[in-house]
Amino acid sequence: MKKNIFLLLPLLVLLIALGLDRLFTLEFFQYYYSNTLSHLNFISKEDLYSDLKEYLKKDPATRKKTLVFFGNSRALLLPTRELEKKHPDWVLYNFSVPGGSPDYFLYWIEKFQSDGIRPDFVLLDQSLEIYNKTPVLALDEVLIHGLSSEFILRHWTKYSREELSVYISKHLFHTYRDRPKLWRISERMQNSSALAKVYKAAVQEILTLLKEEKGSTPRALVNQKHTDEQLVQASETDFYSYLKPYTFHTNMFEMQKDSIHILKEYNVPYATIWVRVARPYFNLYVTRKVETSEGLKTPMEVWKPIVEKFNQETGTTFWNMNEDPNYNCEEFADPGHMSPNCFPVFGDYIFKKLEETFPKTQTK
């Protein structure tokens, strides 16, 4: 037995490494090295879900109708409190997160199903980028911050080997996930940890605001508008980052289908939405041919027929903001994100389409 004790050394090294990893990534230390606040959108959704559950326990005759929006960063700035005043029959719970994708939507909808949660209406994002399996710049925030191990185990066949590798490695080693920089730690330790305290205060402020805005990021925190020339240049960069080449992610679309099938089974009204992007970026969707599994095609030529066929087969309502002449707010922070100035208009568009598509007698 003693002769074989050396075989335990790799396990011992792993356990020590994991222990140090968890120690260095405790919340206290994160204030000294973290350089992002986007993960707070994921953290806040647990409280948002608890709030939604409590609200839906009320008598439907005495409460407002609930709209749950599953989107990505293009919907983060919807002004929930402002929209509630303009549309007093409804309350919006914004479950949108950076990089929001169908697996994240399914994660929550399965949770709704398990807990018997039935919102009055559900809106699901249906953009091109979330269905590209081979982007140059991969978005893995949902995989890292948004899904439980139990969910991954149940749906592991829907993920590629690379995606599973990312999930396992970044959940096993948080230092690999967070990539702490020694220079930043040193910088934040100076002047009695002044910068670390600033970051800690920012975290607490953002979590409070996300709770108050029912999942939305306040527009006051984002003040940005690109010129037409900047949008043209940035559109080229974004297109090559997210849409070239374009390999349709069939498994991700299957998870979107699963969400919709659950909603239909439980008779929860729903729609899908393609949030508007800047016109130079949209034009590249339509005109720029890229490598696909079907040869050289535009991303639109791949994505749109699949979505339209599914919509027709299932009777799914599709709110196409990019080709709707009635939507005309054209200020953009970057090619894929509207300026904060457009979000009140965006919100009005949602409620107008909601009332047109599902009259009050159907949503209550």
Side-chain angles (χ1 to χ4, degrees):
M1 183 67 179
K2 290 183 179 180
K3 292 181 180 179
N4 296 328
I5 197 168
F6 73 92
L7 296 175
L8 297 175
L9 284 176
L11 177 61
L12 181 62
V13 170
L14 176 62
L15 291 175
I16 292 173
L18 285 172
L20 290 173
D21 176 84
R22 292 302 184 271
L23 175 64
F24 292 146
T25 54
L26 289 172
E27 184 178 4
F28 171 79
F29 291 113
Q30 289 178 20
Y31 301 135
Y32 287 86
Y33 68 76
S34 183
N35 198 39
T36 179
L37 296 168
S38 63
H39 66 291
L40 301 179
N41 287 282
F42 294 92
I43 293 172
S44 67
K45 294 301 180 283
E46 292 295 338
D47 285 339
L48 183 65
Y49 182 56
S50 297
D51 185 22
L52 175 62
K53 283 199 295 186
E54 287 302 311
Y55 190 75
L56 288 175
K57 289 179 182 178
K58 296 181 179 180
D59 183 347
T62 62
R63 65 167 174 80
K64 297 181 179 183
K65 291 174 287 188
T66 55
L67 165 61
V68 173
F69 191 167
F70 292 107
N72 51 40
S73 57
R74 292 174 182 171
L76 284 180
L77 304 185
L78 283 166
T80 52
R81 287 187 291 182
E82 182 180 331
L83 290 169
E84 192 172 344
K85 292 177 182 177
K86 296 174 70 175
H87 306 277
D89 292 337
W90 288 90
V91 57
L92 168 61
Y93 285 81
N94 194 351
F95 277 77
S96 301
V97 292
S101 49
D103 50 348
Y104 187 69
F105 310 160
L106 180 60
Y107 168 75
W108 281 110
I109 289 174
E110 285 185 343
K111 210 166 188 178
F112 285 14
Q113 179 187 27
S114 176
D115 293 346
I117 301 301
R118 293 186 57 179
D120 295 287
F121 194 86
V122 170
L123 188 58
L124 303 161
D125 185 80
Q126 192 80 302
S127 59
L128 276 80
E129 289 85 353
I130 59 173
Y131 295 118
N132 188 11
K133 193 176 183 178
T134 54
V136 172
L137 185 59
L139 299 175
D140 59 6
E141 288 183 276
V142 163
L143 206 58
I144 296 169
H145 299 295
L147 305 174
S148 68
S149 299
E150 187 268 341
F151 179 88
I152 293 292
L153 283 172
R154 282 191 293 106
H155 297 282
W156 70 271
T157 57
K158 302 287 179 66
Y159 293 98
S160 67
R161 205 174 300 172
E162 292 77 13
E163 289 168 328
L164 291 173
S165 176
V166 166
Y167 179 83
I168 293 170
S169 59
K170 291 193 175 183
H171 277 75
L172 196 60
F173 291 102
H174 292 176
T175 47
Y176 175 57
R177 178 193 68 190
D178 298 339
R179 306 290 179 91
K181 303 289 191 299
L182 288 176
W183 65 265
R184 184 174 291 121
I185 295 171
S186 176
E187 184 180 71
R188 293 189 182 180
M189 289 178 67
Q190 297 174 13
N191 301 319
S192 301
S193 303
L195 291 178
K197 291 174 183 176
V198 169
Y199 179 80
K200 181 179 181 180
V203 167
Q204 293 170 342
E205 179 186 6
I206 294 296
L207 287 174
T208 298
L209 291 172
L210 285 168
K211 184 176 180 64
E212 291 175 352
E213 288 286 348
K214 288 186 168 53
S216 288
T217 301
R219 289 182 295 137
L221 298 178
V222 182
N223 185 19
Q224 211 173 7
K225 177 186 172 184
H226 271 22
T227 64
D228 291 343
E229 183 179 348
Q230 288 173 321
L231 285 173
V232 170
Q233 295 173 350
S235 293
E236 290 284 346
T237 301
D238 282 11
F239 185 86
Y240 281 98
S241 295
Y242 301 115
L243 294 166
K244 183 181 179 181
Y246 192 78
T247 307
F248 193 80
H249 203 322
T250 304
N251 287 338
M252 197 61 68
F253 193 60
E254 288 298 320
M255 284 194 268
Q256 185 85 322
K257 289 181 180 179
D258 289 344
S259 290
I260 289 172
H261 289 151
I262 291 172
L263 295 172
K264 289 177 75 69
E265 180 182 351
Y266 283 85
N267 199 30
V268 176
Y270 72 95
T272 57
I273 187 169
W274 184 20
V275 179
R276 195 172 185 87
V277 298
R279 295 302 85 186
Y281 192 35
F282 175 78
N283 290 337
L284 293 177
Y285 286 171
V286 179
T287 62
R288 185 67 56 83
K289 292 186 181 294
V290 298
E291 294 178 4
T292 76
S293 57
E294 304 168 14
L296 286 177
K297 285 188 172 184
T298 67
M300 279 278 281
E301 288 177 314
V302 176
W303 168 85
K304 197 170 185 180
I306 296 172
V307 171
E308 288 181 337
K309 180 181 178 183
F310 176 75
N311 292 343
Q312 185 176 13
E313 290 175 348
T314 59
T316 295
T317 301
F318 180 49
W319 298 346
N320 183 350
M321 291 180 70
N322 281 289
E323 296 176 306
D324 191 335
N326 295 319
Y327 185 84
N328 54 17
C329 192
E330 295 296 340
E331 292 185 18
F332 286 86
D334 61 48
H337 298 85
M338 285 180 274
S339 160
N341 296 333
C342 282
F343 275 85
V345 183
F346 178 16
D348 289 339
Y349 175 89
I350 290 173
F351 285 106
K352 182 180 178 182
K353 296 295 289 186
L354 181 61
E355 290 164 5
E356 288 176 353
T357 310
F358 294 90
K360 292 182 179 180
T361 54
Q362 293 184 10
T363 55
K364 194 67 174 174

